[in-house]
Amino acid sequence: YSFKMITAEGKERIILAYKEDRWVFYEVGDPLPFEDVELYKKRYIRDRLNNNIIYSYLLKNGIDFKRIDEDITESFTVIRTKW
């Protein structure tokens, strides 16, 4: 799981939680006002950052990921018929 944001001032915030041989949690940059930093203290790293947490961070920034395509009114599809 990863969350990356660059503020209007150019400050970068990165949060990662992933599993290779073991779970790893990584963060760089100052926490942003909408983050629940208490989550990052949880015993299990998989509970510190996951899809639900990322979704809630997006919502707090006015982005509803589940409805992100609803405003697209014009689009087209290209089908390749010859290789």
Side-chain angles (χ1 to χ4, degrees):
Y1 303 97
S2 68
F3 183 84
K4 178 178 180 179
M5 185 170 189
I6 301 174
T7 66
E9 297 81 27
K11 292 183 179 181
E12 188 173 62
R13 175 69 170 152
I14 301 171
I15 312 163
L16 301 170
Y18 60 92
K19 184 176 181 183
E20 285 187 352
D21 294 334
R22 61 183 181 87
W23 277 96
V24 176
F25 180 76
Y26 171 81
E27 61 177 316
V28 66
D30 296 328
L32 299 167
F34 58 85
E35 289 182 54
D36 183 356
V37 293
E38 289 300 311
L39 292 171
Y40 310 152
K41 299 175 186 176
K42 289 193 171 201
R43 178 177 181 193
Y44 295 108
I45 292 174
R46 66 177 175 257
D47 294 333
R48 296 179 191 178
L49 187 69
N50 56 44
N51 286 339
N52 291 332
I53 295 166
I54 293 170
Y55 182 63
S56 73
Y57 286 176
L58 291 172
L59 280 175
K60 290 176 182 179
N61 284 280
I63 302 167
D64 187 347
F65 186 77
K66 294 178 182 176
R67 301 176 70 188
I68 203 162
D69 291 335
E70 286 185 358
D71 293 333
I72 298 174
T73 57
E74 295 182 31
S75 63
F76 64 92
T77 303
V78 176
I79 300 173
R80 186 174 183 163
T81 57
K82 293 184 181 181
W83 297 97

